Amino acid sequence: MDSKTLYAKAQTLMPGGVNSPLRACRYVNSEPVFIDRAEGAYLWDVEGRKYIDYVLSWGPMLLGHCDPSVAEAVYMAVNKGTSYGAPCYGEVALAEEIQKLIPSMEMMRMVSSGTEATMSALRLARGYTGRDKVVKFIGNYHGHNDAFLAAAGSAAAAVPGTPGVPEDIVRHTLLAHYNDLDKVREYFETRGGEIACVIVEPAAGNMGLVLPRDGFLQGLRDLCTEYGALLIFDEVITGFRLSPGGAQQRYGITPDLTTLGKIIGGGFPVGCYGGKREIMEHMAPCGGVFQAGTLSGNPVAMAAGLATLKGLQQCDYDALEARTRGLAEGLTEILRSKGQSVHLNQIASAFTIYFSDVPVTNMTESSACDADKYAAFWQQMMAQGIYLAPAGFECAFTSFVHTDEDFEKTLEAASKVQF
Ligand code: HOZ
């Protein structure tokens, strides 16, 4: 069946024909292609067309699709059963590996998605501090839990007022612009005793890639320490991508709690939250804060995650960063040579090129970008086999298996785009 037929059928079965809104490709005035398979840096759609993949399942496939050691670990795990709902070796091994790479995660809990991880971390922060308020940044996306669907990034930005989220819940969410430390300070000065935590994407990846200004993360750390609130780094995107120890290693700031997602499952549905032992011991059965799940610590996902983290430690992060910068700057130059006003944000193996007259440092600037220009760019790149995120407010990701030839083909495709 071709993508068009599948999409028509899907629309009768699922809202918008998709299981996650962005995939409907409405932000790029288009329709989705249905994927048949993936290997290395490539995707193939159901009609056999091959794409160079810069979405990488929204980040986690840093080793590329179907990495042989991950695949082997998964086959071995599947042969031993797919779910026990009981403790298993894999969850201990993965937790140990995560702790080695992210030492601030002295204890942790495995869950099944990033949404579950942030939701649980928030409950823990509230239970630990006995306070209700959370400071969150406009355009940061922490999954679809009620408390975080206030001025969220990614596709949630398009849902005005977010129907279904009670006002009673979001009144506990205090909003600040990303990089606006003064606003956060004001919140602490006026209601510091009510704030349980500040949650932040240490490099934001859901309003495009937006980097923290010098001093921003340290300022958050200092305010949280001063007022007895917890600092939560949502590293679902940055974890193991910005460096082997994530954004906290790269920026040298230690949060109280960290949330991780898909990458620690090698693409399987996994999340994890963890941090200081003293805080984590407030979770049941040690403490009174509750969270549970049959699929938490799932043996197949744990095996995939462990193989992924072991594989990543063999990789040259500096080399990939330099090559990614070359690609991103090359694309930026090509677009400028076509008269387009664009700005690039890049770090490690992630980047966003904004169709914007000004550099992008927060959601207001990100939302003001020219969405139609991005749509035109996206459509023409797709037609040439370059798979980019179907919205201008997402990141492009590279993997350790993208080749120089892939990058050259991508630049060549961009040079043929017409506006
Ligand atoms: N939340 C993802 C974008 N940052 C999109 C998830 C998906 O559609 O798979």
Side-chain angles (χ1 to χ4, degrees), residues 19-23 57-58 141 154-155 205-206 237 262 393-394:
N19 282 312
S20 193
L22 265 181
R23 301 179 195 175
S57 189
W58 305 96
Y141 180 73
S154 193
N206 287 287
I237 288 182
K262 40 209 165 201
F393 49 78
E394 298 287 344

Side-chain angles (χ1 to χ4, degrees), residues 137 181 184 198 200 216-225 231:
F137 295 95
L181 195 55
V184 182
V198 174
V200 65
F216 176 59
L217 297 175
Q218 184 63 58
L220 297 180
R221 176 65 280 174
D222 293 345
L223 284 168
C224 285
T225 304
L231 178 61

Side-chain angles (χ1 to χ4, degrees), residues 1-26:
M1 236 187 266
D2 60 16
S3 286
K4 228 175 176 39
T5 312
L6 278 170
Y7 189 44
K9 199 181 250 305
Q11 282 174 292
T12 68
L13 296 166
M14 294 169 254
V18 288
N19 282 312
S20 193
L22 265 181
R23 301 179 195 175
C25 293
R26 293 187 180 180

